[in-house]
Amino acid sequence: MASLSLSNSLTSLHSQILNQTSYTPSFNQLSFPKSPVFSTHLNTRFISNCASSPIDTNSSDDTPIELKYPAFPTVVDINKIREILPHRFPFLLVDRVIEYNPGVSAVGIKNVTINDNFFPGHFPDRPIMPGVLMVEAMAQVGGVVMLQPEVGGSRDNFVFAGVDKVRFRKPVVAGDTLVMRMTLTKLQKRFGIAKMDGKAYVGGEVVCEGEFILAMGNTD
């Protein structure tokens, strides 16, 4: 009799243990650790390729992406550029000047589009802006500096006298905006010779750089 009672007690205890350990909470009751790596991975895995700037996962800004990025300022528009530079289609490669420091530097942009006339041949299967045209575009930005009264005086044209230490860092493709900064480093005004440092950027990264020697003159 005692052994039967003991057996019943052990069976009851075993059932209670099984009931406690086999409890399975519902999904809503599960509590996950708040890991920064885990939460960041979930929040950015899809959107990491949708914007060029880092995403703040704690930001509550719901502004559409098309309203977040302001346009480049216009210091010298295309009409004024055409008055300064002698170049015309298809070799006018500066669309806008966004910064100008008289006698010192200028920053211009070239909007690279698939409609540019060099893309059908360079290259049909992978449109890449030719490096020589990047250099030409940078020189034209330099021309905006040189052909101003404080530098070039009455001279109305310029030509290449030399290009040194040119490096191409990354390809420039259709859809890019080429941002070019040209800085005057030396001027021999008597002879109309200027030396300039140039850098071109896409998305804040250097894609081309070099040293330019430009000679000023008149079209007469």
Side-chain angles (χ1 to χ4, degrees), residues 28-168:
N28 293 332
Q29 292 174 307
L30 290 174
S31 177
F32 294 100
K34 295 182 178 180
S35 167
V37 175
F38 180 76
S39 61
T40 301
H41 176 70
L42 285 180
N43 289 335
T44 62
R45 186 172 68 175
F46 174 74
I47 60 178
S48 61
N49 292 327
C50 296
S52 58
S53 58
I55 302 297
D56 183 1
T57 56
N58 296 320
S59 174
S60 59
D61 185 8
D62 294 327
T63 305
I65 191 170
E66 65 270 19
L67 302 179
K68 283 186 177 182
Y69 302 99
F72 285 108
T74 301
V75 176
V76 182
D77 65 16
I78 188 60
N79 295 316
K80 183 63 176 178
I81 290 172
R82 285 167 56 89
E83 294 177 8
I84 299 171
L85 298 179
H87 306 75
R88 292 296 181 265
F89 176 85
F91 268 91
L92 180 55
L93 300 175
V94 183
D95 294 322
R96 184 187 304 180
V97 173
I98 62 176
E99 180 185 287
Y100 175 66
N101 296 310
V104 178
S105 65
V107 180
I109 64 172
K110 158 66 178 167
N111 294 308
V112 184
T113 79
I114 196 62
N115 292 319
D116 282 312
N117 71 324
F118 47 79
F119 279 137
H122 198 280
F123 299 97
D125 297 327
R126 191 188 178 195
I128 297 176
M129 185 176 184
V132 291
L133 293 185
M134 292 167 58
V135 171
E136 170 65 22
M138 295 166 71
Q140 291 181 18
V141 176
V144 172
V145 178
M146 291 179 59
L147 297 180
Q148 298 301 311
E150 57 271 8
V151 178
S154 62
R155 294 170 181 176
D156 54 18
N157 207 345
F158 71 96
V159 294
F160 271 123
V163 185
D164 297 314
K165 300 179 182 178
V166 173
R167 295 292 182 272
F168 302 104

Side-chain angles (χ1 to χ4, degrees), residues 173-215:
V173 300
D176 286 340
T177 297
L178 190 64
V179 182
M180 302 161 286
R181 176 178 288 276
M182 295 292 291
T183 304
L184 184 65
T185 57
K186 187 176 182 180
L187 175 65
Q188 295 180 343
K189 197 165 185 177
R190 179 181 177 185
F191 300 103
I193 302 294
K195 186 174 182 179
M196 308 188 81
D197 284 342
K199 286 190 177 182
Y201 304 81
V202 171
E205 296 185 17
V206 176
V207 294
C208 179
E209 58 186 327
E211 297 176 355
F212 296 71
I213 301 174
L214 306 177

